[in-house]
Amino acid sequence: MKTVRKTKYIFLLALLLGACQYEFPELPNTEPDAGGADFSKYIAVGNSITAGLMDGALYNRSQQNSFAVILGEQFKLVGGADFNVPNINSEYGFFTMGPNGPLGRLVLTIAPGTGSIGPAPIGPGDLPSAYSGDMTALNNFGVPGITIGQALTPLTGGPNSESNLAFSPMYARFASNPGTSTLIGDAAAALANGGTFFSFWLGGNDVLGYAIEGASDPSILTSDSDFQARLTAALGTLLNANPTTNGIIMNLPTLNILPYFNLVPYNALPLSQSDADQANQGYALYNGGLAQAAGLGLISEDERQYRTISFTAGQNAFVIEDESLTDLSALGLPSIRQSKPEDKTTLPLSQALGQPSAAHPNGQRGVSFPVEDSFILIPNEQEEINAKIQSFNAMITAAANSNAERILLIDIAAFFEQIRNGEVSEGGVGLNISITPPNGAFSVDGIHPNGRAHAFISNFIIEKINSKWQATIPKVNPNAYVGNDLPR
């Protein structure tokens, strides 16, 4: 069989040729006023989005365009002080290790010959280095990849060992006392030292890590009871650090808005007629076994058809594992089928589809052997993840309501639904749930918002703050912030 071509996401070039520079009127000016709140020292607590991670890395430009930094700048107009971040000091940051060392952030690249466009590392990057500034003066306590549980344990700061699964080099680099301090403890100390306002955006990684791994490792999915206990502990610590402090808490968007799970279509496998014929021969016994199982009443006719594998010339669905299918192992039949429109794939499949694996060095993933569970979210897994997000959001809402005098709930989930529905724009330039410049809200990694989206998020938050505390904090012009770079 011929080697299946490596698939990538193909975007219409017409969508990618718009300029990245915008010239639109500035937003109307109002007299800035803090209203009934005090923004003189703002503390941000959160994960990747609060830190400013974009394009799979934390780098100089991304860090300075996070919503937390934007809010800090706007708060300065109503009495706020400087907003200090643990500077990453890297132009491209760290995405992953390559054969010759660390690789930097992702960018959209155009493949020579095919013209296909997809994410790839920009080139050499930098491993995160220790923050050398004044830890006691920090305002941004955002740590990429962190869960609420990690935010509460000193193990997140060290030791750096294989047995310490909680360790995060991104917290250790600016922890007040690595191995002893905690992220929540450090933020609480900052609030106790004159802090007047905080933002809290944690919880996403308590479910996102499970989703990114294709729902294949239940051990990394936080239970409802643990989430509730940790949320109560974290918020309680921050509120008790300074009894006069007010703050905001953000909930979690649904899985459906993330391009990471929508960029590789279910029929991303190209085959010639000869390749399709050869692949069909390989599944003749499997399809015959399904017919036998249906004849014995072990599966319904609908399931037989659902599981039957058939390839044709052109774009094809690929073979996947599906543990929700009826177990026919007694007949020697695996739980496999071809992908369907309702399945969601993870971004790494774009590089892995049609390729061999360690277990199948001469095979082709999705053709001669099934795509592994870690690359796919089948419908019942999607339902499980979205139900978990709803459960976590209910706890976040309850926490905000129980402290309504001091905490304001920011319904970020609803805001991202507005983006998905095409209801968010500025100066005639819209925002959508893609990675395509100039309108895409997500950075090239398909998970984290880009700088322009962070500006929209900041404005949404400012609207809610102004309403609750009768403030007139000015908004920013999102079109002055960089979205995704054009393909190169």
Side-chain angles (χ1 to χ4, degrees), residues 105-125:
R105 69 181 180 95
L106 296 171
V107 292
L108 291 174
T109 61
I110 303 174
T114 66
S116 63
I117 299 174
I122 192 170

Side-chain angles (χ1 to χ4, degrees), residues 12 92 110 119 182 227 260 320 356 367 371 395 409 416 431 482:
L12 293 176
Y92 298 136
I110 303 174
T182 68
F227 188 87
Y260 184 90
I320 68 171
V367 184
V371 170
M395 298 177 201
L409 173 67
F416 273 102
L431 195 67
V482 177

Side-chain angles (χ1 to χ4, degrees), residues 211-478:
I212 287 174
E213 293 296 323
S216 59
D217 184 3
S219 68
I220 62 176
L221 181 62
T222 303
S223 69
D224 284 5
S225 59
D226 283 344
F227 188 87
Q228 180 66 76
R230 293 164 184 173
L231 176 65
T232 300
L235 273 181
T237 300
L238 298 179
L239 290 171
N240 291 333
N242 187 333
T244 63
T245 299
N246 295 316
I248 54 175
I249 183 171
M250 277 69 93
N251 61 8
L252 313 176
T254 67
L255 179 77
N256 301 326
I257 58 97
L258 298 179
Y260 184 90
F261 299 102
N262 298 313
L263 284 171
V264 183
Y266 81 97
N267 62 342
L269 184 68
L271 291 177
S272 67
Q273 186 63 62
S274 60
D275 287 344
D277 291 342
Q278 186 172 346
N280 286 334
Q281 291 175 14
Y283 288 99
L285 287 177
Y286 174 74
N287 290 339
L290 294 178
Q292 180 185 10
L296 294 172
L298 299 178
I299 58 173
S300 67
E301 176 60 19
D302 285 344
E303 183 171 351
R304 183 196 69 78
Q305 295 180 20
Y306 187 70
R307 296 175 66 153
T308 295
I309 294 173
S310 177
F311 296 102
T312 60
Q315 295 301 123
N316 283 264
F318 39 86
V319 181
I320 68 171
E321 297 175 350
D322 184 347
E323 65 273 19
S324 70
L325 298 173
T326 301
D327 184 1
L328 298 177
S329 58
L331 298 180
L333 299 177
S335 293
I336 59 175
R337 60 174 174 84
Q338 281 179 287
S339 51
K340 311 294 181 183
E342 59 269 21
D343 295 317
K344 287 187 178 295
T345 56
T346 62
L347 188 58
L349 184 60
S350 66
Q351 302 295 324
L353 188 61
Q355 301 302 305
S357 70
H360 303 275
N362 298 313
Q364 294 174 302
R365 182 178 280 105
V367 184
S368 59
F369 68 95
V371 170
E372 299 88 337
D373 185 36
S374 60
F375 290 107
I376 302 289
L377 288 175
I378 59 177
N380 66 339
E381 292 170 338
Q382 297 171 42
E383 293 171 4
E384 175 194 22
I385 291 166
N386 282 322
K388 180 65 72 172
I389 292 172
Q390 291 177 7
S391 179
F392 287 175
N393 280 345
M395 298 177 201
I396 291 170
T397 299
N401 290 340
S402 64
N403 296 278
E405 290 295 318
R406 299 178 61 188
I407 296 181
L408 170 65
L409 173 67
I410 304 295
D411 192 354
I412 288 292
F415 181 63
F416 273 102
E417 287 301 318
Q418 292 176 23
I419 297 174
R420 182 165 69 161
N421 294 332
E423 301 169 359
V424 177
S425 66
E426 181 61 46
V429 182
L431 195 67
N432 60 47
I433 56 168
S434 77
I435 65 172
T436 307
N439 302 98
F442 288 89
S443 67
V444 180
D445 61 36
I447 295 176
H448 303 96
N450 58 31
R452 185 167 178 262
H454 271 267
F456 276 104
I457 291 170
S458 300
N459 282 350
F460 181 73
I461 293 171
I462 288 171
E463 282 182 7
K464 304 305 179 183
I465 289 176
N466 284 348
S467 177
K468 178 174 176 61
W469 283 286
Q470 292 77 54
T472 53
I473 303 166
K475 297 180 185 178
V476 299
N477 181 0

Side-chain angles (χ1 to χ4, degrees), residues 87-161:
N87 295 319
I88 196 68
N89 291 321
S90 176
E91 184 177 2
Y92 298 136
F94 173 72
F95 171 63
T96 190
M97 288 300 296
N100 299 314
L103 296 174
R105 69 181 180 95
L106 296 171
V107 292
L108 291 174
T109 61
I110 303 174
T114 66
S116 63
I117 299 174
I122 192 170
D126 304 297
L127 291 173
S129 58
Y131 175 60
S132 59
D134 183 1
M135 272 66 157
T136 64
L138 287 176
N139 298 80
N140 194 337
F141 294 88
V143 176
I146 199 169
T147 65
I148 295 187
Q150 286 177 285
L152 290 164
T153 175
L155 291 173
T156 305
N160 181 7
S161 64

Side-chain angles (χ1 to χ4, degrees), residues 32-43 71-83 139 194-199 244 246-248 408 461-462 464-473:
D33 191 280
D38 182 353
F39 303 99
S40 57
K41 185 177 180 180
Y42 163 50
I43 301 300
L71 287 182
E73 286 299 307
Q74 297 312 104
F75 290 164
K76 288 171 71 173
L77 301 175
V78 292
D82 289 340
F83 186 81
N139 298 80
T196 59
F197 197 85
F198 70 88
S199 62
T244 63
N246 295 316
I248 54 175
L408 170 65
I461 293 171
I462 288 171
K464 304 305 179 183
I465 289 176
N466 284 348
S467 177
K468 178 174 176 61
W469 283 286
Q470 292 77 54
T472 53
I473 303 166

